[in-house]
Amino acid sequence: DLQRGTIIHLGAHVAAVMEDRTPAGILDGNDLVAHQLGGAPEILTLRELLKERRKNSFDLFRVPRPKASATLVFGGDAMLGRSCVAKIESGIDPFEGIATVLHGASFAATNLECTISNLGQSTNRYAFRAPAQSAQLLRRAGFHAMGLANNHALDFGPAALHDCAARLLEDTIETPGVGKLGSGPYAPRFFSVLGSKKLALLAVSDVDPASGTQIAAASDRAKLGAAISSARSHANLVGCLSHCGVENSDKITEQKRELTRWLLNTGVDRDVGSHPHCYQPLDFD
């Protein structure tokens, strides 16, 4: 352990411990150190260095270990219906271009803007149904959670929504924003990041139809506030996937700003927006 960032400080001169010789774990004159005064570095024993520098004392410093860090990846709307269906069924991976980013992340989540289910019917022109293998595709891509609180969650009705959630859960993808056995749609989902660290994730929709009985609605501040409080008491970091704004507009609405301010003031650390289908700037208050 002495070799991992131990510095000998001799006033105007320093040396690094290179080899901890017997007795192991104890710094003494036999241990090898490296220093440089001339044109090339030199390795010698600590005893020889002290004799050469005419020193009989020194300061000992330990270089602090780098803090472990986690990479969290959050996306916008993932829509695997329409033209994506034929591509997925032919074996094309729509996430291939960002595979390196996703697989290098400690955690990845996004909003699922479609239904992975064969159940239900819809008369809505803009109803998106993804192929049955999409849940496995999302897991292989590296996603840990898919937010299901959005205006397309009920494209094919409640049965299809809960079938979609069940398919994702079977592939170990959590589904914040919709209820599951033993918890309602507002309940936070918890994830381990860096071992002992906990991330809590919620998902809410502020876009119609946002049925508070099936998916978490941003308008129900009482239930949402209670969920945030629960998340805050059990997690180091609280995130929220919020579906809000105006489609195809790069302008952040005051409605979105109000929701984000409320989320942050209530205990959310990071609010990740979706729905506009275009880039919007980072907004600071």
mmCIF file of all heavy atoms in Angstrom, residues 25 100 181 212-213 277:
data_model
loop_
_atom_site.group_PDB
_atom_site.id
_atom_site.type_symbol
_atom_site.label_atom_id
_atom_site.label_comp_id
_atom_site.label_asym_id
_atom_site.label_seq_id
_atom_site.Cartn_x
_atom_site.Cartn_y
_atom_site.Cartn_z
ATOM 1 N N GLY A 25 4.757 -2.994 4.357
ATOM 2 C CA GLY A 25 3.826 -2.102 5.037
ATOM 3 C C GLY A 25 4.477 -1.118 5.971
ATOM 4 O O GLY A 25 3.787 -0.308 6.594
ATOM 5 N N THR A 100 -21.718 2.722 -27.249
ATOM 6 C CA THR A 100 -20.558 2.966 -26.400
ATOM 7 C C THR A 100 -20.925 3.841 -25.206
ATOM 8 O O THR A 100 -20.491 3.587 -24.072
ATOM 9 C CB THR A 100 -19.430 3.633 -27.206
ATOM 10 O OG1 THR A 100 -19.084 2.797 -28.309
ATOM 11 C CG2 THR A 100 -18.205 3.852 -26.341
ATOM 12 N N LEU A 181 -47.265 -4.011 -9.016
ATOM 13 C CA LEU A 181 -47.769 -4.738 -7.869
ATOM 14 C C LEU A 181 -47.224 -4.145 -6.567
ATOM 15 O O LEU A 181 -46.021 -4.077 -6.367
ATOM 16 C CB LEU A 181 -47.387 -6.217 -7.968
ATOM 17 C CG LEU A 181 -47.970 -7.141 -6.884
ATOM 18 C CD1 LEU A 181 -49.491 -7.174 -6.984
ATOM 19 C CD2 LEU A 181 -47.402 -8.548 -7.027
ATOM 20 N N GLY A 212 -54.257 10.342 -13.726
ATOM 21 C CA GLY A 212 -53.606 10.057 -12.464
ATOM 22 C C GLY A 212 -53.893 8.673 -11.920
ATOM 23 O O GLY A 212 -53.248 8.226 -10.982
ATOM 24 N N THR A 213 -54.877 7.986 -12.486
ATOM 25 C CA THR A 213 -55.165 6.628 -12.008
ATOM 26 C C THR A 213 -54.282 5.596 -12.689
ATOM 27 O O THR A 213 -54.067 4.517 -12.154
ATOM 28 C CB THR A 213 -56.641 6.270 -12.258
ATOM 29 O OG1 THR A 213 -56.909 6.327 -13.665
ATOM 30 C CG2 THR A 213 -57.559 7.234 -11.520
ATOM 31 N N HIS A 277 -39.570 16.935 -28.756
ATOM 32 C CA HIS A 277 -38.988 16.285 -29.950
ATOM 33 C C HIS A 277 -37.942 17.149 -30.645
ATOM 34 O O HIS A 277 -37.730 17.022 -31.863
ATOM 35 C CB HIS A 277 -40.075 15.900 -30.971
ATOM 36 C CG HIS A 277 -41.165 15.060 -30.401
ATOM 37 N ND1 HIS A 277 -40.929 13.942 -29.640
ATOM 38 C CD2 HIS A 277 -42.517 15.174 -30.470
ATOM 39 C CE1 HIS A 277 -42.077 13.405 -29.269
ATOM 40 N NE2 HIS A 277 -43.060 14.139 -29.749
#
